[in-house]
Amino acid sequence: MAVTDRVRPAPPVRQRRPERPPRAVRRLAFSQRLSRWDVKLSPYLYISPFFVLFALTGLFPLLYTAWVSLHDWDFIGGQGTFTGLENYQFVLAQPFFWNALGNTFSIFVLSSVPQVLLALTIAAALDANLRARTFWRMGVLVPFVVAPVAVGLIFNNLYADQFGLVNEVLRGVGLGPVRWHSDPLASHFAIATMVNFRWTGYNALIFLAAMQAIPRDLYEAATIDGAGRVRQFLSITVPMLRPTIIFVVITATIGGLQIFDEARVFDQYGLGGADRQWQTLTMYIWELGWGQRDFGRASAVAWLLFLLIVLISLANFLITRRIAHQGGRK
Amino acid sequence: MPAGTVPLTTKESPVRSRARFTALSAAAACLALTMTGCGAGAASENAGVDGETGTEDVTLTVATFNEFGYEELFEQYESENPNVTIEHKKAATSNEARDNLTTRLAAGSGLSDIEAIEVDWLPELMEYPDQFADLTDPAVEGRWLDWKTEAATTTDGRLIGYGTDSGPEAVCYRADLFEEAGLPSDREEVAELLSGDWENYFSVGRDFVAQNDDVAWYDSAGATYQGMINQVQNAYETEDGTVVATENPEVKAIYEQVLAASTEDDLSAHLGQWSDDWAAGFQSDAFATMLCPGWMLGIIEGNAAGVEGWDIANVFPGGGGNWGGSYLTVPTQGEHQAEAKKLADWLTAPEQQVQAFTAKGNFPSQVEALESDELLSQTNPFFADAPSGEIFAERAQAVEVTPFKGPKYFPINDAMQQALTRVDVDRTDDAASSWEKFVAAVNAL
């Protein structure tokens, strides 16, 4: 009401038609109402498409998944009895769940860290004065266009344990073969290379865009001061990119916690290895839902993953704020 | 599925998550549809498939996977039945077909008029017989080998699928490597050498390995185990659905026997079946024999292109065995069930199955087809002109046991295959510790 009160004193219509009081009053009332609606509703209408879409594709599945997770629920048979938190209890008591959680984090760290560092370096190289600049810049995006399954096929061939190219090369230089499909850490590394192959170029382009926005006079001043290219990169480029780096780290975190494609195509069965060496949380969800057709338990894991991502995003947010503050004080 | 994560990812990075987002929305939609599916499923009783055929124009959709060899048959059927138009939906792999089928079953709509299913995922569908039309018909009685029909028949006598091909198993072997090791290499002599129980098969293997150090006797413990377990009537579950996999002495005995042969006697090439290493092993003479259902011939030929010496022995250790094969079902969702049943009937008739065999090598499961001259005279040039038609016809007749596969057969067998892989391929465990993990995995189902 406070808003409409403030609007009421000066509607343009009111001043234009003072000579016909009775009708003007009715018109006034209507236009008043209109403008009140306008003020009250329009902003919501403007932003509603996103929220309607979000409610349909985001909120509904989210809540429905929670509902499913409280039941015995067969994939084909559908809803069974209400079981309360039994599914959560069951899942949390499974060593498979904790194993999947550990694998997810391991693969995430092995992929995100080198990915961000490499992307920064590539972006710095692309930022330099190159011939055929656009060609090189588009070039780094090529791996991103390749379907993950195709990437999986190629890398599978490279990382085959006995006759794979990587092991052949290792043997050639006198090193023993690595057991890519049985040693957990080796399998995580192999999957992380697939992830990095796809995403490094994408992140490099984001960094490049941010780098282009750094004022060139900073570099000129640094050059006059006698700073080399490495020094310039470390003392100007990286600090100026801080917000972008934070953005990339957050998106990489969320993507990393949901890793599925690359790990699933790492062998023929897609179950994460005979000893679940590289079974991630999303693959565990897949196994419960589509393999065992127990949607209740699968939904419980999905919700746990959701809570985990919310938690980590919160932590990310807090750290981001602190860094931003520090940046401001400098 | 992590539907809950959709809003976060889309907000943070729309491009990056697009692939996942698509997958998630599909899954979310299917979750949503589960509700409708549930309602529809409860309401739909099987109305049977009565009704006249040939009276109105219909378009029938047929969903298959891999190669069924039906392309020419469809054309023939269309010209014989002018009121029918056939639309063929072909999935690349049986897994893809299975995901598609289960999702649409759950959704309660969207299935084709005829859905092909593989014997591997038949048990999980047998739990929902109401979803499939009852195809029993006096006209098709006795058409298939007994075990083929039995697997698709519910306890109250409803037949949910017409058998297409089957997977009778023989032993494929490398004649040249047998010769090098001083063993008989002629296919009849080899059949005689390997006839008997599994212990005999392993014992010949030990002789072979003693003579030929670099070559293993068979490709993988998992594949060999599959051949052995398919001869056990109630390996993992009893008919009433009780899981006995972890207590069944037969399962444990087979597990220990095959692992002892694989690791202690080193008869296995330690290759995970279907892995890239396994495919490469055909080119590098990694092993001398493998159990081969009829459909495996094409796979061997593809992987071993350029390698000479493969042959087929008309024998299978421990009696006959069947691995794989498919069925045609008519989902009750369909509007033209009577027409669909007629087409499924025609496609699985002996004459048509022989035509499919000629086209793509799918070995028929029909009694009459097994006696047809066209089938029996078939030879396979890659396998030294072995009379493949005759051999597999005899192998099909040797199948004695139809293993009972309950609804949990798949997850249990997966867990078992992983247990074998841990010991045979990965070597991260010994037989005892891997068995314990298998028990834990089965208990977690």
Side-chain angles (χ1 to χ4, degrees), chain A residues 154-169:
Chain A
I154 296 164
F155 277 79
N156 258 331
N157 225 311
L158 295 179
Y159 285 117
D161 291 69
Q162 293 194 18
F163 308 110
L165 184 67
V166 177
N167 274 349
E168 296 280 354
V169 171

Side-chain angles (χ1 to χ4, degrees), chain A residues 259-302:
Chain A
I259 180 162
F260 181 74
D261 307 342
E262 288 87 354
R264 190 171 152 77
V265 297
F266 191 53
D267 76 351
Q268 266 53 42
Y269 306 102
L271 298 171
D275 208 10
R276 296 166 193 260
Q277 289 97 330
W278 65 91
Q279 184 179 51
T280 63
L281 271 180
T282 38
M283 288 170 76
Y284 187 48
I285 294 170
W286 176 273
E287 185 194 334
L288 289 173
W290 275 259
Q292 303 178 13
R293 292 181 303 145
D294 191 328
F295 255 38
R297 288 175 190 167
S299 304
V301 180

Side-chain angles (χ1 to χ4, degrees), chain A residues 47-250:
Chain A
I47 56 166
S48 65
F50 169 76
F51 282 95
V52 169
L53 204 67
F54 168 72
L56 279 176
T57 60
L59 197 63
F60 172 72
L62 187 68
L63 297 176
Y64 195 67
T65 308
W67 177 244
V68 172
S69 73
L70 300 175
H71 291 81
D72 261 340
W73 202 292
D74 185 87
F75 187 27
I76 302 175
Q79 190 170 1
T81 51
F82 182 82
T83 55
L85 293 177
E86 222 171 82
N87 285 327
Y88 290 88
Q89 265 175 3
F90 175 87
V91 169
L92 287 173
Q94 291 299 312
F96 301 149
F97 173 79
W98 300 103
N99 170 56
L101 186 65
N103 289 343
T104 308
F105 270 101
S106 169
I107 295 174
F108 155 61
V109 171
L110 281 173
S111 58
S112 303
V113 176
Q115 196 181 110
V116 171
L117 296 179
L118 208 65
L120 258 180
T121 323
I122 292 174
L126 290 175
D127 196 30
N129 244 335
L130 291 173
R131 209 170 294 175
R133 208 182 294 162
T134 317
F135 171 78
W136 295 113
R137 287 178 184 175
M138 293 316 291
V140 297
L141 209 58
V142 167
F144 183 71
V145 185
V146 183
V149 179
V151 176
L153 283 177
I154 296 164
F155 277 79
N156 258 331
N157 225 311
L158 295 179
Y159 285 117
D161 291 69
Q162 293 194 18
F163 308 110
L165 184 67
V166 177
N167 274 349
E168 296 280 354
V169 171
L170 285 177
R171 244 179 250 138
V173 297
L175 294 166
V178 178
R179 301 160 71 210
W180 298 111
H181 286 81
S182 46
D183 184 44
L185 199 64
S187 69
H188 297 175
F189 177 82
I191 292 167
T193 51
M194 287 189 226
V195 178
N196 290 340
F197 173 77
R198 283 198 74 207
W199 293 108
T200 306
Y202 173 78
N203 285 329
L205 279 195
I206 294 183
F207 282 135
L208 179 64
M211 279 179 195
Q212 304 265 294
I214 300 174
R216 296 286 128 171
D217 13 344
L218 287 178
Y219 292 106
E220 280 165 29
T223 313
I224 292 167
D225 285 348
R229 291 200 61 91
V230 176
R231 182 61 202 259
Q232 287 184 16
F233 176 71
L234 292 176
S235 301
I236 302 174
T237 314
V238 174
M240 295 292 280
L241 282 182
R242 192 179 282 143
T244 315
I245 294 175
I246 289 164
F247 169 77
V248 168
V249 167
I250 292 180

Side-chain angles (χ1 to χ4, degrees), chain A residues 54 62 64 74-75 90 94 161-163 179 199 254 258 268-269 274-275 277 285 292-293 302 306, chain B residues 1 4-5 7-9 12-13 16 31 35 98 106 127-128 273-277 422 426 437 444-445:
Chain A
F54 168 72
L62 187 68
Y64 195 67
D74 185 87
F75 187 27
F90 175 87
Q94 291 299 312
D161 291 69
Q162 293 194 18
F163 308 110
R179 301 160 71 210
W199 293 108
I254 293 166
Q258 300 180 353
Q268 266 53 42
Y269 306 102
D275 208 10
Q277 289 97 330
I285 294 170
Q292 303 178 13
R293 292 181 303 145
F306 168 63
Chain B
M1 45 81 37
T5 55
L8 270 174
T9 30
E12 298 292 345
S13 133
R16 168 159 196 169
L31 254 186
M35 288 195 304
R98 174 178 174 253
E127 276 186 281
Y128 311 97
Q273 201 169 29
W274 313 116
S275 70
D276 291 298
D277 278 333
R422 281 193 290 268
D426 290 357
K437 288 182 185 174
L445 290 177

Side-chain angles (χ1 to χ4, degrees), chain B residues 190-435:
Chain B
V190 172
E192 203 166 305
L193 181 73
L194 296 179
S195 70
D197 56 6
W198 287 97
E199 190 40 50
N200 178 52
Y201 174 69
F202 295 136
S203 143
V204 177
R206 282 190 285 270
D207 294 344
F208 174 85
V209 175
Q211 296 300 317
N212 200 334
D213 248 2
D214 303 329
V215 185
W217 180 236
Y218 52 78
D219 53 341
S220 103
T224 310
Y225 172 89
Q226 198 67 44
M228 297 168 82
I229 205 71
N230 274 340
Q231 295 172 335
V232 180
Q233 178 64 41
N234 286 89
Y236 302 143
E237 291 162 282
T238 58
E239 257 84 357
D240 61 4
T242 320
V243 174
V244 293
T246 53
E247 290 120 44
N248 192 343
E250 270 184 287
V251 173
K252 182 113 194 235
I254 292 177
Y255 171 83
E256 279 168 355
Q257 190 185 7
V258 76
L259 281 183
S262 300
T263 54
E264 284 162 34
D265 299 335
D266 215 18
L267 299 187
S268 161
H270 309 295
L271 300 166
Q273 201 169 29
W274 313 116
S275 70
D276 291 298
D277 278 333
W278 181 74
F282 284 92
Q283 293 291 341
S284 55
D285 300 349
F287 48 87
T289 67
M290 71 180 290
L291 308 180
C292 58
W295 47 265
M296 189 67 94
L297 299 186
I299 293 164
I300 295 177
E301 190 177 339
N303 284 329
V307 178
E308 276 172 33
W310 278 100
D311 207 331
I312 313 167
N314 182 3
V315 66
F316 196 67
N322 181 70
W323 182 7
S326 299
Y327 292 86
L328 296 184
T329 65
V330 176
T332 44
Q333 286 178 13
E335 278 174 37
H336 312 292
Q337 290 176 36
E339 287 282 5
K341 186 189 165 200
K342 188 178 158 200
L343 173 59
D345 180 351
W346 185 81
L347 283 171
T348 56
E351 309 81 58
Q352 276 68 250
Q353 279 308 125
V354 172
Q355 254 178 280
F357 175 73
T358 320
K360 297 287 176 193
N362 298 313
F363 195 77
S365 59
Q366 288 77 354
V367 179
E368 258 181 63
L370 297 183
E371 285 154 12
S372 96
D373 286 337
E374 206 181 338
L375 179 104
L376 292 174
S377 59
Q378 191 94 9
T379 59
N380 193 316
F382 182 79
F383 291 85
D385 288 321
S388 54
E390 199 185 308
I391 291 178
F392 284 104
E394 266 181 56
R395 290 290 93 217
Q397 254 124 20
V399 177
E400 291 154 6
V401 181
T402 318
F404 172 77
K405 295 181 179 178
K408 287 198 173 152
Y409 177 86
F410 260 93
I412 296 175
N413 201 47
D414 265 347
M416 174 52 92
Q417 287 293 343
Q418 290 177 344
L420 293 163
T421 305
R422 281 193 290 268
V423 183
D424 181 44
V425 183
D426 290 357
R427 300 188 222 187
T428 50
D429 280 279
D430 59 23
S433 71
S434 191
W435 177 265

Side-chain angles (χ1 to χ4, degrees), chain B residues 96-153:
Chain B
E96 197 183 316
R98 174 178 174 253
D99 287 346
N100 180 50
L101 179 74
T102 42
T103 307
R104 286 173 188 207
L105 267 186
S109 68
L111 285 173
S112 299
D113 294 301
I114 293 181
E115 286 276 345
I117 59 172
E118 200 180 23
V119 65
D120 288 359
W121 22 290
L122 178 66
E124 52 193 41
L125 300 176
M126 295 288 282
E127 276 186 281
Y128 311 97
D130 287 350
Q131 298 282 353
F132 298 96
D134 181 6
L135 299 179
T136 39
D137 194 323
V140 297
E141 251 167 54
R143 177 187 278 183
W144 294 275
L145 297 167
D146 289 343
W147 50 266
K148 185 76 181 175
T149 325
E150 265 166 38
T153 310

